[in-house]
Structures are given as C-alpha cells and as structure tokens.
Short mmCIF file of all heavy atoms in Angstrom, two decimals:
data_model
loop_
_atom_site.label_atom_id
_atom_site.label_comp_id
_atom_site.label_asym_id
_atom_site.label_seq_id
_atom_site.Cartn_x
_atom_site.Cartn_y
_atom_site.Cartn_z
N MET A 709 -15.61 7.59 -15.74
CA MET A 709 -15.35 7.13 -14.35
C MET A 709 -13.86 6.87 -14.23
O MET A 709 -13.18 6.34 -15.25
CB MET A 709 -16.06 5.80 -14.08
CG MET A 709 -16.11 5.36 -12.62
SD MET A 709 -17.63 6.15 -11.79
CE MET A 709 -19.06 4.87 -12.43
N GLN A 710 -13.25 7.38 -13.14
CA GLN A 710 -11.89 6.97 -12.90
C GLN A 710 -11.69 6.11 -11.63
O GLN A 710 -12.28 6.34 -10.67
CB GLN A 710 -11.21 8.49 -12.54
CG GLN A 710 -9.73 8.26 -12.40
CD GLN A 710 -9.07 9.64 -12.06
OE1 GLN A 710 -9.50 10.37 -11.32
NE2 GLN A 710 -7.99 9.97 -12.89
N LEU A 711 -10.83 5.08 -11.95
CA LEU A 711 -10.55 4.34 -10.83
C LEU A 711 -9.03 4.32 -10.66
O LEU A 711 -8.19 4.25 -11.59
CB LEU A 711 -10.72 2.92 -11.33
CG LEU A 711 -12.10 2.25 -11.18
CD1 LEU A 711 -12.13 0.83 -11.54
CD2 LEU A 711 -12.67 2.36 -9.74
N VAL A 712 -8.61 4.38 -9.36
CA VAL A 712 -7.24 4.47 -8.99
C VAL A 712 -6.91 3.20 -8.16
O VAL A 712 -7.58 2.91 -7.13
CB VAL A 712 -6.72 5.76 -8.23
CG1 VAL A 712 -5.40 5.70 -8.05
CG2 VAL A 712 -7.15 6.85 -9.12
N PHE A 713 -6.05 2.40 -8.65
CA PHE A 713 -5.60 1.24 -7.79
C PHE A 713 -4.21 1.41 -7.07
O PHE A 713 -3.36 2.04 -7.63
CB PHE A 713 -5.44 -0.08 -8.65
CG PHE A 713 -6.76 -0.57 -9.18
CD1 PHE A 713 -7.27 -0.10 -10.29
CD2 PHE A 713 -7.50 -1.54 -8.54
CE1 PHE A 713 -8.50 -0.50 -10.82
CE2 PHE A 713 -8.67 -2.06 -9.02
CZ PHE A 713 -9.10 -1.55 -10.17
N LYS A 714 -4.14 0.87 -5.83
CA LYS A 714 -2.79 0.92 -5.27
C LYS A 714 -2.56 -0.40 -4.60
O LYS A 714 -3.56 -0.86 -3.68
CB LYS A 714 -2.79 2.03 -4.18
CG LYS A 714 -1.40 2.67 -3.97
CD LYS A 714 -1.58 3.86 -3.11
CE LYS A 714 -0.26 4.62 -3.05
NZ LYS A 714 -0.43 5.83 -2.24
N GLY A 715 -1.55 -1.11 -4.93
CA GLY A 715 -1.32 -2.49 -4.32
C GLY A 715 -2.49 -3.51 -4.47
O GLY A 715 -2.80 -4.21 -3.63
N GLY A 716 -3.13 -3.37 -5.71
CA GLY A 716 -4.27 -4.12 -6.06
C GLY A 716 -5.57 -3.86 -5.53
O GLY A 716 -6.61 -4.51 -5.71
N LYS A 717 -5.53 -2.80 -4.71
CA LYS A 717 -6.80 -2.40 -4.06
C LYS A 717 -7.35 -1.03 -4.74
O LYS A 717 -6.44 -0.20 -5.16
CB LYS A 717 -6.74 -2.15 -2.53
CG LYS A 717 -6.68 -3.46 -1.86
CD LYS A 717 -6.44 -3.16 -0.31
CE LYS A 717 -6.67 -4.42 0.56
NZ LYS A 717 -6.71 -4.00 1.95
N ILE A 718 -8.58 -0.84 -4.71
CA ILE A 718 -9.15 0.38 -5.21
C ILE A 718 -8.95 1.42 -4.06
O ILE A 718 -9.31 1.21 -2.92
CB ILE A 718 -10.68 0.32 -5.57
CG1 ILE A 718 -10.85 -0.69 -6.86
CG2 ILE A 718 -11.18 1.75 -5.96
CD1 ILE A 718 -12.22 -0.91 -7.15
N VAL A 719 -8.47 2.59 -4.34
CA VAL A 719 -8.21 3.65 -3.35
C VAL A 719 -8.93 4.85 -3.77
O VAL A 719 -9.07 5.81 -2.89
CB VAL A 719 -6.67 3.93 -3.14
CG1 VAL A 719 -6.00 2.75 -2.57
CG2 VAL A 719 -6.01 4.44 -4.45
N HIS A 720 -9.44 4.90 -4.85
CA HIS A 720 -10.13 6.29 -5.44
C HIS A 720 -11.08 5.86 -6.49
O HIS A 720 -10.64 5.25 -7.50
CB HIS A 720 -9.00 7.22 -5.84
CG HIS A 720 -9.73 8.66 -6.14
ND1 HIS A 720 -8.85 9.51 -6.80
CD2 HIS A 720 -10.81 9.29 -5.91
CE1 HIS A 720 -9.63 10.68 -6.93
NE2 HIS A 720 -10.74 10.37 -6.46
N ILE A 721 -12.23 6.31 -6.40
CA ILE A 721 -13.22 6.18 -7.44
C ILE A 721 -13.79 7.62 -7.65
O ILE A 721 -14.27 8.21 -6.69
CB ILE A 721 -14.40 5.22 -7.00
CG1 ILE A 721 -13.97 3.83 -6.53
CG2 ILE A 721 -15.37 5.04 -8.28
CD1 ILE A 721 -15.07 2.97 -6.04
N HIS A 722 -13.95 7.97 -9.04
CA HIS A 722 -14.48 9.39 -9.25
C HIS A 722 -15.24 9.21 -10.58
O HIS A 722 -14.81 8.94 -11.53
CB HIS A 722 -13.16 10.18 -9.47
CG HIS A 722 -13.58 11.81 -9.64
ND1 HIS A 722 -12.63 12.69 -9.89
CD2 HIS A 722 -14.72 12.26 -9.43
CE1 HIS A 722 -13.29 13.91 -9.89
NE2 HIS A 722 -14.53 13.64 -9.70
N CYS A 723 -16.50 9.54 -10.31
CA CYS A 723 -17.51 9.66 -11.64
C CYS A 723 -17.25 11.08 -12.23
O CYS A 723 -17.45 12.07 -11.59
CB CYS A 723 -18.96 9.56 -11.00
SG CYS A 723 -20.12 9.58 -12.39
N LYS A 724 -16.64 10.92 -13.41
CA LYS A 724 -16.34 12.14 -14.10
C LYS A 724 -17.38 12.81 -14.82
O LYS A 724 -17.24 13.84 -15.52
CB LYS A 724 -15.16 11.73 -15.06
CG LYS A 724 -13.90 11.29 -14.39
CD LYS A 724 -13.09 12.43 -13.77
CE LYS A 724 -11.56 12.19 -13.64
NZ LYS A 724 -10.85 13.35 -13.39
N SER A 725 -18.60 12.40 -14.80
CA SER A 725 -19.68 13.10 -15.48
C SER A 725 -19.92 14.43 -14.93
O SER A 725 -19.81 14.74 -13.87
CB SER A 725 -20.97 12.37 -15.24
OG SER A 725 -21.01 10.98 -15.72
N GLU A 726 -20.00 15.34 -15.99
CA GLU A 726 -20.09 16.87 -15.55
C GLU A 726 -21.08 17.09 -14.58
O GLU A 726 -20.84 17.99 -13.72
CB GLU A 726 -20.32 17.62 -16.87
CG GLU A 726 -19.22 17.76 -17.87
CD GLU A 726 -19.69 18.59 -19.03
OE1 GLU A 726 -20.63 19.49 -18.99
OE2 GLU A 726 -19.10 18.34 -20.16
N ASP A 727 -22.21 16.51 -14.69
CA ASP A 727 -23.29 16.89 -13.69
C ASP A 727 -23.29 15.99 -12.41
O ASP A 727 -24.32 16.05 -11.80
CB ASP A 727 -24.61 16.73 -14.47
CG ASP A 727 -24.88 15.36 -14.96
OD1 ASP A 727 -23.86 14.65 -15.06
OD2 ASP A 727 -25.99 14.93 -15.53
N CYS A 728 -22.32 15.28 -12.27
CA CYS A 728 -22.22 14.27 -11.09
C CYS A 728 -21.17 14.63 -10.17
O CYS A 728 -21.35 15.30 -9.23
CB CYS A 728 -22.24 12.80 -11.54
SG CYS A 728 -22.32 11.74 -10.23
N GLY A 729 -19.98 14.17 -10.52
CA GLY A 729 -18.75 14.33 -9.66
C GLY A 729 -18.70 13.64 -8.39
O GLY A 729 -17.89 13.94 -7.51
N ASN A 730 -19.48 12.54 -8.28
CA ASN A 730 -19.51 11.73 -7.19
C ASN A 730 -18.02 11.09 -6.97
O ASN A 730 -17.46 10.67 -7.96
CB ASN A 730 -20.39 10.45 -7.32
CG ASN A 730 -20.77 9.67 -6.17
OD1 ASN A 730 -20.44 10.10 -5.05
ND2 ASN A 730 -21.49 8.61 -6.25
N GLU A 731 -17.65 11.02 -5.73
CA GLU A 731 -16.19 10.70 -5.50
C GLU A 731 -16.01 9.93 -4.24
O GLU A 731 -16.70 10.35 -3.16
CB GLU A 731 -15.40 11.99 -5.47
CG GLU A 731 -13.91 11.68 -5.56
CD GLU A 731 -13.09 12.96 -5.72
OE1 GLU A 731 -13.66 14.07 -5.42
OE2 GLU A 731 -11.87 12.79 -6.09
N TRP A 732 -15.15 8.96 -4.07
CA TRP A 732 -14.82 8.31 -2.91
C TRP A 732 -13.36 8.04 -2.96
O TRP A 732 -12.72 7.74 -3.88
CB TRP A 732 -15.65 6.91 -2.85
CG TRP A 732 -14.97 6.01 -1.75
CD1 TRP A 732 -15.48 6.01 -0.39
CD2 TRP A 732 -13.89 5.11 -1.89
NE1 TRP A 732 -14.69 5.10 0.29
CE2 TRP A 732 -13.77 4.49 -0.56
CE3 TRP A 732 -13.09 4.64 -2.95
CZ2 TRP A 732 -12.74 3.55 -0.26
CZ3 TRP A 732 -12.14 3.75 -2.68
CH2 TRP A 732 -11.95 3.23 -1.28
N LYS A 733 -12.85 8.34 -1.66
CA LYS A 733 -11.40 8.08 -1.45
C LYS A 733 -11.20 7.21 -0.30
O LYS A 733 -11.95 7.25 0.68
CB LYS A 733 -10.64 9.44 -1.27
CG LYS A 733 -10.60 10.36 -2.48
CD LYS A 733 -9.88 11.65 -2.20
CE LYS A 733 -9.91 12.52 -3.28
NZ LYS A 733 -9.40 13.80 -2.98
N ILE A 734 -10.10 6.37 -0.38
CA ILE A 734 -9.80 5.51 0.82
C ILE A 734 -9.63 6.27 2.07
O ILE A 734 -9.94 5.69 3.25
CB ILE A 734 -8.48 4.68 0.49
CG1 ILE A 734 -8.34 3.50 1.38
CG2 ILE A 734 -7.35 5.59 0.45
CD1 ILE A 734 -9.17 2.36 1.23
N GLU A 735 -9.23 7.52 2.11
CA GLU A 735 -9.09 8.31 3.26
C GLU A 735 -10.46 8.53 3.98
O GLU A 735 -10.49 8.68 5.29
CB GLU A 735 -8.58 9.64 3.01
CG GLU A 735 -7.03 9.66 2.53
CD GLU A 735 -6.86 9.39 1.15
OE1 GLU A 735 -7.87 9.26 0.38
OE2 GLU A 735 -5.71 9.42 0.66
N GLU A 736 -11.55 8.38 3.36
CA GLU A 736 -12.91 8.55 3.89
C GLU A 736 -13.34 7.18 4.77
O GLU A 736 -14.31 7.23 5.41
CB GLU A 736 -13.96 8.74 2.85
CG GLU A 736 -13.76 9.94 2.03
CD GLU A 736 -14.74 9.99 0.84
OE1 GLU A 736 -15.83 9.27 0.91
OE2 GLU A 736 -14.43 10.77 -0.06
N GLY A 737 -12.50 6.10 4.54
CA GLY A 737 -12.79 4.81 5.14
C GLY A 737 -12.93 3.73 4.01
O GLY A 737 -13.01 4.19 2.79
N SER A 738 -12.93 2.59 4.43
CA SER A 738 -12.75 1.47 3.34
C SER A 738 -14.14 1.21 2.65
O SER A 738 -14.13 0.42 1.73
CB SER A 738 -12.14 0.38 3.97
OG SER A 738 -12.96 -0.16 5.00
N ASP A 739 -15.20 1.74 3.06
CA ASP A 739 -16.46 1.29 2.54
C ASP A 739 -16.96 2.35 1.63
O ASP A 739 -17.37 3.55 1.95
CB ASP A 739 -17.50 1.21 3.70
CG ASP A 739 -18.79 0.75 3.30
OD1 ASP A 739 -18.97 0.21 2.10
OD2 ASP A 739 -19.79 0.75 4.07
N TRP A 740 -16.98 2.01 0.25
CA TRP A 740 -17.54 2.97 -0.73
C TRP A 740 -18.91 2.73 -1.09
O TRP A 740 -19.57 3.27 -1.85
CB TRP A 740 -16.74 2.76 -1.94
CG TRP A 740 -16.67 1.47 -2.60
CD1 TRP A 740 -17.82 0.68 -3.02
CD2 TRP A 740 -15.61 0.55 -2.81
NE1 TRP A 740 -17.45 -0.48 -3.49
CE2 TRP A 740 -16.17 -0.71 -3.42
CE3 TRP A 740 -14.23 0.70 -2.48
CZ2 TRP A 740 -15.30 -1.72 -3.63
CZ3 TRP A 740 -13.40 -0.58 -2.75
CH2 TRP A 740 -13.93 -1.60 -3.40
N SER A 741 -19.65 1.81 -0.34
CA SER A 741 -20.87 1.33 -0.81
C SER A 741 -22.03 2.30 -0.61
O SER A 741 -23.03 2.20 -1.25
CB SER A 741 -21.33 0.04 0.01
OG SER A 741 -21.51 0.22 1.37
N GLN A 742 -21.72 3.45 0.18
CA GLN A 742 -22.77 4.57 0.14
C GLN A 742 -22.79 5.29 -1.15
O GLN A 742 -23.78 5.95 -1.53
CB GLN A 742 -22.45 5.58 1.25
CG GLN A 742 -22.37 4.90 2.61
CD GLN A 742 -23.77 4.81 3.25
OE1 GLN A 742 -24.58 5.62 3.01
NE2 GLN A 742 -24.01 3.63 3.87
N LYS A 743 -21.62 5.31 -1.90
CA LYS A 743 -21.63 6.11 -3.10
C LYS A 743 -21.43 5.34 -4.43
O LYS A 743 -22.01 5.69 -5.36
CB LYS A 743 -20.30 6.95 -3.01
CG LYS A 743 -20.39 8.03 -1.80
CD LYS A 743 -19.12 8.83 -1.77
CE LYS A 743 -19.28 9.87 -0.80
NZ LYS A 743 -17.95 10.71 -0.59
N PHE A 744 -20.89 4.15 -4.33
CA PHE A 744 -20.66 3.25 -5.51
C PHE A 744 -21.05 1.88 -5.31
O PHE A 744 -20.75 1.32 -4.17
CB PHE A 744 -19.30 3.48 -6.04
CG PHE A 744 -18.94 4.78 -6.50
CD1 PHE A 744 -18.25 5.71 -5.67
CD2 PHE A 744 -19.18 5.26 -7.83
CE1 PHE A 744 -17.94 6.95 -6.07
CE2 PHE A 744 -18.73 6.44 -8.33
CZ PHE A 744 -18.10 7.23 -7.34
N ASP A 745 -21.54 1.25 -6.25
CA ASP A 745 -21.59 -0.31 -6.27
C ASP A 745 -20.42 -0.83 -6.94
O ASP A 745 -20.21 -0.36 -8.20
CB ASP A 745 -22.84 -0.80 -6.94
CG ASP A 745 -24.00 -0.85 -5.97
OD1 ASP A 745 -23.71 -1.15 -4.73
OD2 ASP A 745 -25.21 -0.93 -6.38
N ALA A 746 -19.50 -1.60 -6.39
CA ALA A 746 -18.33 -2.14 -7.16
C ALA A 746 -18.23 -3.62 -7.02
O ALA A 746 -18.33 -4.13 -5.91
CB ALA A 746 -17.07 -1.39 -6.54
N LYS A 747 -18.24 -4.30 -8.13
CA LYS A 747 -18.06 -5.74 -8.08
C LYS A 747 -16.93 -6.28 -8.99
O LYS A 747 -16.85 -5.56 -10.10
CB LYS A 747 -19.37 -6.38 -8.52
CG LYS A 747 -20.54 -6.34 -7.49
CD LYS A 747 -21.75 -6.90 -8.08
CE LYS A 747 -22.99 -6.51 -7.26
NZ LYS A 747 -24.37 -6.83 -7.87
N GLN A 748 -16.26 -7.18 -8.61
CA GLN A 748 -15.19 -7.81 -9.44
C GLN A 748 -15.60 -9.05 -10.02
O GLN A 748 -16.01 -10.00 -9.04
CB GLN A 748 -13.92 -7.86 -8.68
CG GLN A 748 -12.72 -8.21 -9.61
CD GLN A 748 -11.38 -8.04 -8.73
OE1 GLN A 748 -11.42 -8.46 -7.62
NE2 GLN A 748 -10.29 -7.82 -9.51
N SER A 749 -15.56 -9.29 -11.30
CA SER A 749 -15.91 -10.61 -11.97
C SER A 749 -14.68 -11.59 -11.63
O SER A 749 -13.66 -11.24 -11.35
CB SER A 749 -16.24 -10.47 -13.35
OG SER A 749 -15.09 -10.19 -13.95
N GLN A 750 -14.96 -12.85 -12.02
CA GLN A 750 -13.96 -13.89 -11.77
C GLN A 750 -12.76 -13.67 -12.77
O GLN A 750 -11.61 -13.90 -12.42
CB GLN A 750 -14.42 -15.32 -12.17
CG GLN A 750 -15.42 -15.64 -10.95
CD GLN A 750 -15.80 -17.10 -11.16
OE1 GLN A 750 -15.77 -17.58 -12.18
NE2 GLN A 750 -16.25 -17.79 -10.10
N SER A 751 -13.05 -12.88 -13.88
CA SER A 751 -11.99 -12.56 -14.77
C SER A 751 -11.17 -11.27 -14.35
O SER A 751 -10.25 -10.87 -15.09
CB SER A 751 -12.48 -12.35 -16.25
OG SER A 751 -13.62 -11.44 -16.14
N GLY A 752 -11.52 -10.76 -13.30
CA GLY A 752 -10.88 -9.56 -12.64
C GLY A 752 -11.27 -8.19 -13.16
O GLY A 752 -10.72 -7.16 -12.71
N ILE A 753 -12.35 -8.18 -13.96
CA ILE A 753 -12.82 -6.96 -14.43
C ILE A 753 -13.85 -6.34 -13.45
O ILE A 753 -14.72 -7.10 -12.91
CB ILE A 753 -13.61 -7.03 -15.82
CG1 ILE A 753 -12.58 -7.54 -16.79
CG2 ILE A 753 -14.37 -5.74 -16.15
CD1 ILE A 753 -13.18 -7.74 -18.19
N TRP A 754 -13.64 -5.04 -13.03
CA TRP A 754 -14.53 -4.38 -12.15
C TRP A 754 -15.68 -3.79 -12.80
O TRP A 754 -15.51 -3.13 -13.84
CB TRP A 754 -13.75 -3.36 -11.43
CG TRP A 754 -12.86 -3.80 -10.38
CD1 TRP A 754 -11.53 -4.15 -10.49
CD2 TRP A 754 -13.09 -4.00 -9.05
NE1 TRP A 754 -10.96 -4.59 -9.34
CE2 TRP A 754 -11.97 -4.57 -8.43
CE3 TRP A 754 -14.27 -3.95 -8.20
CZ2 TRP A 754 -11.96 -4.90 -7.03
CZ3 TRP A 754 -14.32 -4.21 -6.89
CH2 TRP A 754 -13.15 -4.69 -6.28
N THR A 755 -16.97 -3.89 -12.34
CA THR A 755 -17.99 -3.17 -12.66
C THR A 755 -18.42 -2.11 -11.57
O THR A 755 -18.64 -2.49 -10.56
CB THR A 755 -19.35 -4.05 -12.94
OG1 THR A 755 -18.95 -5.14 -13.84
CG2 THR A 755 -20.42 -3.22 -13.39
N ILE A 756 -18.35 -0.97 -11.98
CA ILE A 756 -18.52 0.11 -11.00
C ILE A 756 -19.94 0.89 -11.44
O ILE A 756 -20.02 1.30 -12.47
CB ILE A 756 -17.54 1.16 -10.91
CG1 ILE A 756 -16.06 0.55 -10.80
CG2 ILE A 756 -17.68 2.20 -9.77
CD1 ILE A 756 -15.86 0.00 -9.57
N ILE A 757 -20.81 1.05 -10.40
CA ILE A 757 -21.94 1.78 -10.72
C ILE A 757 -22.08 2.90 -9.73
O ILE A 757 -21.96 2.74 -8.52
CB ILE A 757 -23.21 0.83 -10.51
CG1 ILE A 757 -23.21 -0.17 -11.56
CG2 ILE A 757 -24.44 1.64 -10.71
CD1 ILE A 757 -24.32 -1.42 -11.31
N CYS A 758 -22.23 4.10 -10.40
CA CYS A 758 -22.24 5.29 -9.65
C CYS A 758 -23.84 5.39 -8.92
O CYS A 758 -24.75 5.40 -9.75
CB CYS A 758 -22.03 6.65 -10.38
SG CYS A 758 -22.28 8.10 -9.55
N LYS A 759 -23.90 5.42 -7.73
CA LYS A 759 -25.27 5.49 -7.02
C LYS A 759 -25.91 6.94 -7.11
O LYS A 759 -27.04 7.09 -6.88
CB LYS A 759 -25.08 5.25 -5.67
CG LYS A 759 -24.83 3.65 -5.39
CD LYS A 759 -25.05 3.18 -4.00
CE LYS A 759 -25.23 1.66 -3.87
NZ LYS A 759 -25.33 1.31 -2.41
N LYS A 760 -25.24 7.94 -7.47
CA LYS A 760 -25.64 9.35 -7.68
C LYS A 760 -26.35 9.41 -8.99
O LYS A 760 -27.35 9.88 -9.02
CB LYS A 760 -24.55 10.28 -7.33
CG LYS A 760 -24.97 11.72 -7.23
CD LYS A 760 -23.98 12.59 -6.93
CE LYS A 760 -24.42 14.26 -6.97
NZ LYS A 760 -23.19 15.00 -6.67
N CYS A 761 -25.56 9.08 -10.11
CA CYS A 761 -26.24 9.36 -11.41
C CYS A 761 -26.62 8.05 -12.13
O CYS A 761 -27.23 8.17 -13.15
CB CYS A 761 -25.15 10.18 -12.34
SG CYS A 761 -23.79 9.18 -12.80
N GLY A 762 -26.17 6.91 -11.56
CA GLY A 762 -26.59 5.60 -12.12
C GLY A 762 -25.81 5.18 -13.33
O GLY A 762 -26.11 4.07 -13.82
N ARG A 763 -24.78 5.91 -13.61
CA ARG A 763 -23.96 5.40 -14.81
C ARG A 763 -23.02 4.24 -14.32
O ARG A 763 -22.61 4.04 -13.20
CB ARG A 763 -22.93 6.48 -15.36
CG ARG A 763 -23.73 7.51 -16.01
CD ARG A 763 -22.89 8.75 -16.62
NE ARG A 763 -23.44 9.60 -17.45
CZ ARG A 763 -24.02 10.73 -17.07
NH1 ARG A 763 -24.13 10.95 -15.70
NH2 ARG A 763 -24.60 11.54 -17.86
N SER A 764 -22.84 3.33 -15.35
CA SER A 764 -22.06 2.21 -14.94
C SER A 764 -20.73 2.16 -15.73
O SER A 764 -20.60 2.88 -16.80
CB SER A 764 -22.70 0.91 -15.23
OG SER A 764 -23.14 0.73 -16.53
N TYR A 765 -19.69 1.50 -15.44
CA TYR A 765 -18.35 1.65 -16.00
C TYR A 765 -17.64 0.17 -15.77
O TYR A 765 -17.84 -0.43 -14.67
CB TYR A 765 -17.44 2.66 -15.28
CG TYR A 765 -16.05 2.70 -15.51
CD1 TYR A 765 -15.66 3.30 -16.70
CD2 TYR A 765 -15.17 2.10 -14.70
CE1 TYR A 765 -14.26 3.18 -17.09
CE2 TYR A 765 -13.85 2.06 -14.94
CZ TYR A 765 -13.40 2.56 -16.20
OH TYR A 765 -12.04 2.66 -16.42
N LEU A 766 -17.04 -0.24 -16.75
CA LEU A 766 -16.32 -1.53 -16.74
C LEU A 766 -14.81 -1.16 -16.83
O LEU A 766 -14.37 -0.56 -17.67
CB LEU A 766 -16.64 -2.42 -17.86
CG LEU A 766 -18.06 -3.08 -17.88
CD1 LEU A 766 -18.30 -3.98 -19.00
CD2 LEU A 766 -18.27 -3.95 -16.71
N SER A 767 -14.00 -1.74 -15.81
CA SER A 767 -12.65 -1.45 -15.97
C SER A 767 -11.96 -2.52 -16.90
O SER A 767 -12.58 -3.56 -17.15
CB SER A 767 -11.99 -1.61 -14.54
OG SER A 767 -11.99 -3.07 -14.10
N GLY A 768 -10.88 -2.30 -17.40
CA GLY A 768 -10.00 -3.24 -18.02
C GLY A 768 -10.42 -3.31 -19.50
O GLY A 768 -11.07 -2.40 -20.07
ZN1 LIG B 210 -21.98 9.69 -11.16
#
C-alpha cells in the first residue's frame, strides 16, 4: 500500500497488490470511503484497509 501525504493530509492511496490496484486520489474528491477504510490512531499511525482486496496496512 502506498500513502502520499501533503500538508498533513492524505492525498493519494494506492493498493500495490498485483491483483488489486485499487487507488484513490484527492482529485476524485475528498471522500475515499468508497474504496478504502482509513483510521488514524491517537499515536498518529494510520490503519488503511483496502475495500477491494481486504488487505490492511499500517503507516509509520
Ligand atoms: Zn487492494
């Protein structure tokens, strides 16, 4: 999973799994919830779950 931040905000999420390729960009609108579940813990770590293939990813 690839996460791109700009100014502290997520602007691009890309699931890099060969058989998936699910992708969201800020240009599509600010709501990624159709494609990914993304939550930030109190310690600042993001948990991203791809809704297409179900893989999860922890940032940081
Ligand atoms: Zn995926």
Side-chain angles (χ1 to χ4, degrees):
M709 198 90 75
Q710 182 181 49
L711 275 185
V712 180
F713 290 89
K714 210 171 192 176
K717 286 182 170 181
I718 296 175
V719 297
H720 185 192
I721 309 172
H722 189 187
C723 181
K724 292 283 204 174
S725 299
E726 283 179 26
D727 56 347
C728 182
N730 195 13
E731 187 172 21
W732 168 86
K733 291 178 181 175
I734 191 79
E735 288 83 1
E736 301 172 17
S738 58
D739 184 15
W740 59 61
S741 64
Q742 299 284 321
K743 295 179 175 178
F744 295 93
D745 272 332
K747 289 177 191 166
Q748 191 176 27
S749 71
Q750 289 185 340
S751 54
I753 294 177
W754 284 90
T755 303
I756 311 289
I757 298 168
C758 174
K759 286 192 167 179
K760 189 173 169 185
C761 70
R763 287 181 174 87
S764 61
Y765 169 83
L766 291 178
S767 75

